[in-house]
Amino acid sequence: MSAEERLAERRERLIAAAYTLYSDPGFPETTIEKLCAAARISNRAFYECFSGRNELMQALHDRCVQETLASVAKAVEQAPDTLFSRVEAGLAGYITFVTEDRRRARIMHLEVRRAGDCLTTSRQKAVKAFTKIIEANIFDLPDTIEANRHLLSLGLIGAIQELLIEWVLAEDPPQVDSLISTAVHIFHRSFVL
């Protein structure tokens, strides 16, 4: 392996370790030593890949977001070309993909907040990307709706985030189908008079 290939391989091992450890026990509780032990690399090798835990968390969060964006875009693209079909496909695609792996849901909706200010920009970038998808698919919104489409999209994202935090933290989490139907109901109540 070349030096670049070794570095890339170490980065992937660290991201895999962070995917597990940042979701349980969580970002604040995960030390660099724990990450290095799980990835089977030295502390020195860690710092060749990342400047610290925050940068690793950002790389992991960005990857989760990109994978989810791709999944949602595919679901919307394959949906019938009506407002409600596109939105329902997007909501179902998002919630289903995020909940397929509890670690992904926890990182994207809980640990990103627990990481603090270091991920504010990354989180805002993710919200902006998901807002764009929603806005792009509500272009035929009835003219009777006077609310700002951007703010409606942000409100829908906030509601979905809270539903997923509940799913992550609840002792008896709601069924995924229930999360999807609730998100669809919120959309219908928000966007239809």
Side-chain angles (χ1 to χ4, degrees):
M1 281 207 279
S2 70
E4 290 167 355
E5 289 170 330
R6 279 194 304 276
L7 183 63
E9 191 263 340
R10 287 178 188 148
R11 280 181 63 87
E12 287 305 312
R13 286 181 16 209
L14 281 166
I15 288 172
Y19 193 59
T20 297
L21 294 173
Y22 282 175
S23 62
D24 184 26
F27 178 78
E29 295 83 4
T30 301
T31 63
I32 289 175
E33 290 73 22
K34 288 180 184 176
L35 289 163
C36 291
R40 298 180 328 274
I41 65 168
S42 68
N43 282 20
R44 182 174 155 257
F46 177 95
Y47 288 106
E48 290 172 356
C49 300
F50 296 100
S51 62
R53 292 179 332 121
N54 294 350
E55 186 181 4
L56 174 54
M57 179 60 167
Q58 184 167 349
L60 175 59
H61 180 257
D62 289 348
R63 179 174 291 180
C64 288
V65 167
Q66 291 308 312
E67 291 170 351
T68 306
L69 282 168
S71 178
V72 170
K74 183 178 179 182
V76 170
E77 182 181 299
Q78 294 174 347
D81 194 24
T82 67
L83 169 65
F84 295 118
S85 295
R86 289 189 308 270
V87 172
E88 289 176 15
L91 290 170
Y94 182 87
I95 292 169
T96 300
F97 186 76
V98 169
T99 57
E100 281 176 355
D101 189 330
R102 186 173 219 76
R103 296 173 298 178
R104 182 184 301 124
R106 186 169 178 104
I107 287 163
M108 289 179 68
H109 293 283
L110 185 62
E111 296 304 323
V112 69
R113 287 172 170 79
R114 294 179 77 204
D117 292 343
C118 70
L119 285 183
T120 298
T121 301
S122 183
R123 189 171 168 276
Q124 286 175 321
K125 191 169 121 183
V127 168
K128 184 176 182 180
F130 287 111
T131 301
K132 277 186 170 182
I133 288 178
I134 295 171
E135 289 176 0
N137 286 286
I138 59 172
F139 58 84
D140 53 358
L141 194 64
D143 291 334
T144 53
I145 295 180
E146 296 177 12
N148 180 305
R149 292 170 191 237
H150 178 71
L151 295 178
L152 282 172
S153 299
L154 286 173
L156 184 58
I157 288 170
I160 293 167
Q161 288 175 346
E162 290 304 317
L163 290 172
L164 287 164
I165 289 171
E166 173 66 16
W167 183 82
V168 166
L169 293 178
E171 216 169 278
D172 183 23
Q175 295 294 316
V176 171
D177 288 346
S178 181
L179 293 177
I180 293 168
S181 64
T182 301
V184 169
H185 176 76
I186 291 168
F187 172 81
H188 282 288
R189 299 299 292 175
S190 299
F191 290 83
V192 180
L193 294 176

